[in-house]
Amino acid sequence: MSYDTDILIVGGGLNGPALALALASTGQRVTVVDALPRDTRAEAGFDGRAYALALASIRVLDGIGLWSHVAEHAQPMLKIVASDGRAGEGAAPFFLAFDHAEIEEGPMGHMLEDRFLRPALLQAMDAAGITQLSGETVVSQSVDDRAATVQLASGRSLRARLLVGCDGRDSGTATRAGIRRTGWDYGQTGLVCAVEHELPHEGTAHQFFMPAGPLAILPLPGNRSSIVWSETTSRAAEIHALDDAAYLEVLRPRFGDFLGKISLAGKRHAYPLKLTIANRFIAPRLALVGDAAHGMHPIAGQGFNFGLRDIAALAEVIAEAARRGEDIASPLVLERYQQWRRFDTMLMAVGTDSVNKLFSNDNPVLRGIRDIGLGVVNAVPGLRRASIREAAGLTGDLPRLMRGLPI
């Protein structure tokens, strides 16, 4: 049987191109279908969007040949400080502080702006000879014992050994395969922006837990920081509708004055927060990766990091199957991927959900429990070091790429 490509990836955001690069490095022919035109993915000016990349994720980007092209634009995260409190009142006396010097591997992670990462992915796919179909959408898909076939809106039909959905939380690939989802709305909205500040951040990331939701202050190059700020849905809508000056007045008491005067930089964004997990990560000749498989609360900053875990695991499973002469999309091969990733994903989903519920309230009993918990972890070196390694993505059954090894 002839195939147009070995693996067809639907979705051209971040996970789709990264997976394409990982698979192409193992000798697979890969095609990426992206609903957006290519020029919308091109480098733009500063807009505040950035990603917190754990150390293990940086190893993946290095393994697929990308990190060397973006490292100069990245900001190392040397410390992470988590505290509890209320807007305008400052932090509680108990807090948790991570220092990268407590682990041997280096910084726990880096912040990288979207405007550098997306163009680098496109350029790397060009260099790798990966087929990119931009401005195309899938309207139907079908599978048989030997192939997956998709029909594009343009009328073109493509056959592949394996179809991979990297098309986000509302994945059409998953829906067309009959895969249902489990989850719920948090009643919160994430407000995202960037600020310029008077004083240097010294590579420190802050997570400030407030009753309505957490505020993350994440260091960017220079005297800039990325803000990911959770509020109740109704309050967030009011805040997002404000002009920049009024928006900043709401942010200031939450942010504090530890970095001096602040001003907005770039665009403001808002998106609803919900938990959504695909009931299956696989179907006949199909796999789901990244947000198409799981969408979690950003409280732990694991969205793209967990997508990269999926990518590293699926690429390794497929590479090993190909070396053994197996059908790379057989049920047994795809089940290995699902078993590797689904349990880990469920643990993280439960963890982020529990932390959000524990910290996003003003119950005095829970406030006391969580503050003491932060203080205990901070005071016990073994617990603190284990938490640092978890934050760096260095725990669990890691794929080879996340251990700095070739597939």
Side-chain angles (χ1 to χ4, degrees):
M1 176 177 288
S2 63
Y3 300 93
D4 298 293
T5 187
D6 292 324
I7 300 169
L8 179 63
I9 297 172
V10 180
L14 298 178
N15 290 306
L19 176 61
L21 291 167
L23 293 169
S25 72
T26 68
Q28 299 293 330
R29 293 181 302 143
V30 186
T31 297
V32 177
V33 176
D34 185 0
L36 294 180
R38 182 175 174 122
D39 57 7
T40 64
R41 303 287 191 191
E43 183 173 341
F46 179 82
D47 66 1
R49 291 181 298 165
Y51 306 99
L53 299 170
L55 174 57
S57 295
I58 291 167
R59 290 175 176 174
V60 175
L61 296 183
D62 189 45
I64 62 176
L66 197 71
W67 185 244
S68 62
H69 299 287
V70 296
E72 65 178 308
H73 303 295
Q75 167 63 49
M77 287 188 287
L78 305 179
K79 294 182 181 179
I80 300 175
V81 178
S83 57
D84 189 18
R86 299 183 183 91
E89 296 183 9
F94 296 105
F95 61 91
L96 179 60
F98 295 159
D99 191 319
H100 80 288
E102 293 192 58
I103 61 174
E104 298 80 12
E105 291 86 351
M108 294 168 280
H110 287 70
M111 289 296 298
L112 181 63
E113 294 174 40
D114 182 86
R115 61 171 171 157
F116 299 121
L117 180 56
R118 287 185 190 271
L121 286 166
L122 291 176
Q123 292 161 15
M125 285 197 295
D126 289 341
I130 294 167
T131 301
Q132 302 166 63
L133 303 179
S134 300
E136 286 274 22
T137 56
V138 176
V139 294
S140 66
Q141 67 195 47
S142 61
V143 298
D144 57 35
D145 290 340
R146 301 180 67 182
T149 303
V150 301
Q151 191 77 23
L152 303 180
S154 63
R156 185 174 178 182
S157 179
L158 296 171
R159 292 173 62 83
R161 299 176 188 274
L162 174 66
L163 176 64
V164 183
C166 294
D167 46 348
R169 298 185 179 202
D170 298 318
S171 170
T173 306
T175 300
R176 288 185 292 269
I179 298 176
R180 297 181 179 274
R181 308 185 76 85
T182 298
W184 45 84
D185 193 304
Y186 284 113
Q188 295 173 314
T189 294
L191 298 171
V192 180
C193 64
V195 296
E196 293 182 346
H197 37 79
E198 187 178 17
L199 302 176
H201 49 57
E202 298 180 343
T204 301
H206 296 265
Q207 182 89 298
F208 186 44
F209 295 106
M210 296 181 293
L215 169 73
I217 304 171
L218 306 168
L220 296 176
N223 281 14
R224 279 178 171 171
S225 291
S226 176
I227 306 298
V228 183
W229 167 23
S230 300
E231 284 282 351
T232 61
T233 300
S234 58
R235 180 60 177 144
E238 295 172 358
I239 295 170
H240 192 60
L242 297 172
D243 62 27
D244 285 355
Y247 184 97
L248 197 58
E249 286 303 309
V250 177
L251 175 59
R252 278 197 183 100
R254 292 159 171 78
F255 191 99
D257 59 3
F258 70 104
L259 291 177
K261 296 179 181 179
I262 62 172
S263 59
L264 287 173
K267 299 177 181 178
R268 296 188 274 134
H269 310 272
Y271 57 95
L273 302 181
K274 59 182 179 179
L275 175 71
T276 172
I277 307 290
N279 293 348
R280 292 178 288 131
F281 288 5
I282 61 171
R285 296 209 167 266
L286 181 147
L288 300 178
V289 162
D291 285 354
H294 45 73
M296 305 177 203
H297 197 286
I299 198 166
Q302 291 299 319
F304 186 37
N305 289 304
F306 252 56
L308 289 170
R309 283 202 180 209
D310 295 344
I311 288 163
L314 182 58
E316 186 170 327
V317 165
I318 289 175
E320 290 181 350
R323 282 193 288 266
R324 287 193 291 261
E326 295 178 276
D327 177 354
I328 61 171
S330 74
L332 287 175
V333 171
L334 295 183
E335 184 60 33
R336 292 173 201 150
Y337 164 68
Q338 176 165 258
Q339 288 184 354
W340 197 348
R341 293 300 305 132
R342 186 161 172 78
F343 181 70
D344 186 31
T345 298
M346 294 305 296
L347 283 180
M348 179 56 70
V350 170
T352 55
D353 184 68
S354 299
V355 169
N356 184 56
K357 289 176 178 175
L358 175 64
F359 282 90
S360 296
N361 65 78
D362 208 20
N363 183 298
V365 175
L366 291 178
R367 175 180 288 275
I369 291 172
R370 66 203 187 207
D371 288 353
I372 291 171
L374 288 174
V376 168
V377 174
N378 194 62
V380 179
L383 286 176
R384 189 173 63 245
R385 179 180 168 85
S387 299
I388 292 172
R389 295 190 65 81
E390 178 72 29
L394 300 176
T395 59
D397 185 10
L398 296 179
R400 292 179 62 85
L401 280 174
M402 291 199 139
R403 288 180 279 140
L405 301 172
I407 302 174

